[in-house]
């Protein structure tokens, strides 16, 4: 951070001194040392706040690549999932990350928590929270990017709750009847909306 404080002179330029350029340079140094989780975090900084330029989209692509390479070191089981959710706005493609306790078989029924960030907090920035929930809560965690952000396709709309509902329905085979959603930042809006729509029949948590 101290190096970046001295090196960065502009938030949006793509050359030396630019935010994405300098953070990506730092991330590449971590890659050369095979520090994949650190590299993923640094590429996450490089694409911040949103992947809205070509250089930031490349930083997001590299973040995903490094994060997957880091996954063997995670303190829990890790799996990539792909959902295609049919909504009023069309079919929405949602890449997800599944975290499970070690030594748990696919047949073991556990509560499932759907974890979602907001506009500038993507699922990989929630890594520590996801692994902590698995470790302390004895649950499976499925982390996604909010519709219209990160790797989640489509655009965010007033009907984006349909994406979360569709994923929760798809998660039924993974666990018991206990399925909930934990939303961080703007993700808390969707957690609250689903809780209201379903009348509290399922336990929901949210951070706003």
């Amino acid at each position: 951070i101290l190096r970046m404080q001295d090196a960065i002179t502009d938030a949006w330029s793509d050359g030396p001194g630019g935010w994405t350029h300098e953070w990506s340079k730092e991330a590449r140094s971590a890659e050369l040392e095979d520090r994949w989780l650190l590299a993923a975090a640094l590429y996450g900084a490089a694409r911040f706040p949103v992947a809205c330029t070509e250089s930031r989209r490349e930083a997001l692509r590299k973040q995903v690549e490094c994060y997957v390479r880091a996954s063997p070191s995670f303190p829990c089981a890790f799996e990539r999932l792909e959902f295609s959710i049919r909504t009023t706005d069309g079919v929405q493609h949602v890449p997800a990350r599944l975290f499970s306790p070690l030594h748990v078989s696919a047949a073991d029924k556990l509560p499932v928590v759907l974890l979602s960030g907001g506009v500038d907090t993507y699922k990989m920035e929630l890594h520590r929270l996801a692994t902590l929930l698995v470790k302390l809560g004895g649950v499976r965690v499925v982390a996604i990017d909010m519709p219209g952000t990160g790797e989640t396709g489509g655009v965010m709309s007033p009907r984006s709750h349909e994406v979360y509902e569709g994923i929760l329905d798809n998660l039924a085979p993974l666990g018991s009847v206990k399925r909930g959603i934990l939303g961080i930042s703007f993700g808390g809006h969707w957690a609250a909306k689903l809780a209201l729509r379903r009348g509290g029949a399922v336990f929901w948590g949210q951070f706003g």
Side-chain angles (χ1 to χ4, degrees):
I1 290 174
L2 291 175
R3 282 196 294 272
M4 295 301 95
Q5 185 175 348
D6 291 336
I8 295 171
T9 58
D10 185 87
W12 296 102
S13 67
D14 282 332
W19 175 277
T20 301
H21 175 90
E22 296 298 337
W23 279 111
S24 295
K25 182 179 176 181
E26 194 78 7
R28 285 191 290 273
S29 296
E31 283 187 271
L32 291 174
E33 298 174 359
D34 295 335
R35 302 176 71 184
W36 300 112
L37 192 57
L38 174 61
L42 293 168
Y43 277 121
R47 67 93 197 143
F48 187 87
V50 291
C52 59
T53 65
E54 189 56 41
S55 61
R56 280 171 162 83
R57 285 189 288 272
E58 174 62 13
L60 174 61
R61 188 191 69 77
K62 291 291 294 182
Q63 183 186 21
V64 173
E65 178 184 298
C66 292
Y67 188 77
V68 172
R69 295 196 68 168
S71 61
S73 68
F74 295 171
C76 56
F78 174 80
E79 183 180 348
R80 288 178 288 172
L81 303 176
E82 301 279 342
F83 295 102
S84 291
I85 306 300
R86 188 171 299 279
T87 71
T88 303
D89 297 318
V91 176
Q92 202 144 329
H93 178 63
V94 185
R97 305 288 184 260
L98 170 63
F99 303 85
S100 302
L102 294 172
H103 313 302
V104 170
S105 73
D108 292 325
K109 298 298 183 181
L110 296 175
V112 181
V113 176
L114 177 58
L115 180 62
S116 171
V119 174
D120 55 17
T121 305
Y122 296 173
K123 59 183 176 294
M124 286 170 285
E125 277 77 67
L126 301 178
H127 169 80
R128 293 177 68 181
L129 177 57
T131 55
L132 187 64
L133 287 170
V134 170
K135 180 179 179 180
L136 300 182
V139 299
R140 287 187 172 93
V141 173
V142 174
I144 67 167
D145 297 322
M146 188 173 71
T149 70
E151 291 188 283
T152 300
V155 297
M156 187 172 63
S157 81
R159 296 174 295 278
S160 288
H161 62 271
E162 296 176 4
V163 175
Y164 291 97
E165 289 178 332
I167 292 176
L168 286 168
D169 290 341
N170 275 270
L171 294 181
L174 280 179
S176 66
V177 294
K178 293 183 178 179
R179 283 166 286 147
I181 177 171
L182 176 59
I184 308 301
S185 190
F186 202 125
H189 166 82
W190 303 110
K193 185 171 184 179
L194 265 66
L196 292 170
R197 283 174 55 82
R198 297 204 174 190
V202 183
F203 173 79
W204 306 97
Q206 66 104 2
F207 291 151

